[in-house]
Amino acid sequence: FPMEEYQWYYGFEEYGKFIESHASKDAEILIPGIGNDPILLDLLQKGYNRLTATDYSEFAIDRQQDLLSYEQYPFVTELVDNDEDPPPTMLLQMDARKMPPQWTQKFDTIVEQGALDAIYLSGDGNVELAATEFERVLKPGGILISVSGVVPMDLRQEIFKDWNWIRDGSQD
């Protein structure tokens, strides 16, 4: 199937400009809720090489393994602390509401496209738990790029109330 069929909301050509303008090529990037999105290939082709992608679904991780294998990009499927330069991409089955304790202030950038939407739809305050985890694993001054079509704006503003906002390139 064409890669475009697996992207939620927008393709890389739309939101990639935000990544490229806010994240250096050596930035440590987390992509929670990767699903079937080919963003890893897009980022690797642009020269980003410190990538960690997670998803609650083992099938989503399997799909990412297939994509990276086909393009012959190295990856690991276990949590490793690796000083290799560049480290292989990590593909991990994981719940975004509870990430490893050693990830505190690990990532320069988080790119989520629809992950918070899926978590929000599960109810029970889960989106708030995920937002708290995003804040914990993001380095001070780090960037969260979030694409959402479901989480109400007032809730997004509440759960990220202490964050500086840049919306469509303009700061709030």
Side-chain angles (χ1 to χ4, degrees):
F1 296 104
M3 287 186 190
E4 304 82 54
E5 291 184 22
Y6 292 106
Q7 296 174 329
W8 285 32
Y9 308 120
Y10 301 105
F12 189 79
E13 65 281 352
E14 294 293 323
Y15 66 87
K17 61 187 171 191
F18 294 106
I19 298 170
E20 291 182 286
S21 65
H22 294 292
S24 68
K25 299 288 188 210
D26 64 346
E28 186 104 16
I29 299 175
L30 172 65
I31 306 153
I34 185 80
N36 291 319
D37 194 325
I39 185 175
L40 284 176
L41 293 179
D42 294 321
L43 290 170
L44 288 163
Q45 290 166 357
K46 293 284 186 181
Y48 292 88
N49 58 24
R50 300 183 68 195
L51 306 172
T52 299
T54 67
D55 203 287
Y56 189 77
S57 166
E58 70 179 280
F59 301 109
I61 297 302
D62 289 345
R63 166 73 175 154
Q64 293 300 323
Q65 289 177 36
D66 290 345
L67 288 172
L68 293 183
S69 294
Y70 182 78
E71 295 292 331
Q72 299 182 349
Y73 285 108
F75 63 88
V76 295
T77 57
E78 295 178 5
L79 184 61
V80 293
D81 289 322
N82 195 341
D83 292 332
E84 197 176 318
D85 190 29
T89 299
M90 280 197 287
L91 298 173
L92 305 170
Q93 184 180 356
M94 178 181 301
D95 188 334
R97 298 168 301 168
K98 187 172 179 163
M99 292 184 263
Q102 64 266 37
W103 281 9
T104 299
Q105 297 184 354
K106 175 179 176 57
F107 297 97
D108 301 294
T109 304
I110 298 173
V111 179
E112 79 81 20
Q113 185 178 207
L116 288 178
D117 290 349
I119 294 167
Y120 170 75
L121 292 173
S122 70
D124 296 330
N126 287 317
V127 73
E128 292 88 342
L129 293 172
T132 299
E133 279 296 273
F134 288 0
E135 185 172 12
R136 181 182 66 80
V137 303
L138 194 63
K139 288 180 181 174
I143 301 291
L144 166 65
I145 298 172
S146 179
V147 180
S148 173
V150 175
V151 180
M153 183 53 75
D154 59 337
L155 178 57
R156 291 173 70 78
Q157 289 172 333
E158 176 60 29
I159 62 178
F160 296 115
K161 68 179 176 270
D162 297 328
W163 298 47
N164 292 323
W165 282 65
I166 300 174
R167 200 177 295 138
D168 296 328
S170 60
Q171 189 152 358
D172 288 342

